[in-house]
Amino acid sequence: MTWSARLKELGIELPGVAAPLAAYVPATQSGSHVFTSGQLPFVDGKLPATGKVGADVSPEEAKAYARTCILNALAAVHDLVGVDSIKRIVKVVGFVASAEGFTGQPGVVNGASELLGEIFGDAGKHARSAVGVAELPIGAPVEIELIVEV
């Protein structure tokens, strides 16, 4: 089964590629790897929420936003090389705008990791970092980067 068929089976449609906010491209390929720029949880070009996780945004909401971020990352990969060219997910880096004292970043970034597991199975197992930060661009609560092997 192709990855695009698996997405269809799961009822998942990749969004359009989010427009960059500054001077960069959504994804770039080097050798057999594709690296995405950090992806925010844009839905139809807008953030569904802003603020810090643990204060303005609940951890559960942030986990759902991490899922949206990874769909945006997959869309960037698809636009560059096609989702069916993915051999495996290599690494996920998640940034969580965190309220003081919030330490649940791994649970938030699980939103991305769990979805990759649903889509790619064993090929979706990846290395990962989940980092708490003071601020993210335009007030986003979550940002995700993705590295895939093609």
Side-chain angles (χ1 to χ4, degrees):
M1 173 183 298
T2 64
W3 300 130
S4 54
R6 177 68 179 145
L7 286 166
K8 187 173 184 174
E9 179 181 277
L10 292 170
I12 296 172
E13 186 174 330
L14 293 178
V17 178
L21 297 176
Y24 60 89
V25 294
T28 188
Q29 183 175 359
S30 179
S32 62
H33 291 90
V34 173
F35 301 78
T36 71
S37 295
Q39 299 293 314
L40 303 179
F42 285 124
V43 176
D44 297 325
K46 297 181 182 178
L47 287 179
T50 58
K52 297 186 184 205
V53 181
D56 313 303
V57 177
S58 75
E60 295 78 21
E61 290 170 315
K63 183 177 180 181
Y65 299 146
R67 183 180 173 101
T68 301
C69 290
I70 209 64
L71 288 174
N72 288 337
L74 288 171
V77 172
H78 181 64
D79 188 60
L80 185 67
V81 298
V83 72
D84 289 329
S85 68
I86 295 173
K87 289 184 181 178
R88 70 177 321 255
I89 306 302
V90 176
K91 186 166 185 183
V92 170
V93 179
F95 302 96
V96 180
S98 300
E100 185 175 339
F102 180 73
T103 60
Q105 294 84 5
V108 169
V109 180
N110 275 350
S113 294
E114 291 169 1
L115 180 57
L116 290 171
E118 290 174 37
I119 297 168
F120 296 99
D122 284 344
K125 293 179 180 175
H126 55 273
R128 189 181 91 175
S129 298
V131 182
V133 298
E135 299 287 342
L136 286 170
I138 63 172
V142 182
E143 180 174 356
I144 303 283
E145 295 176 3
L146 179 64
I147 301 170
V148 301
E149 182 183 353
V150 294

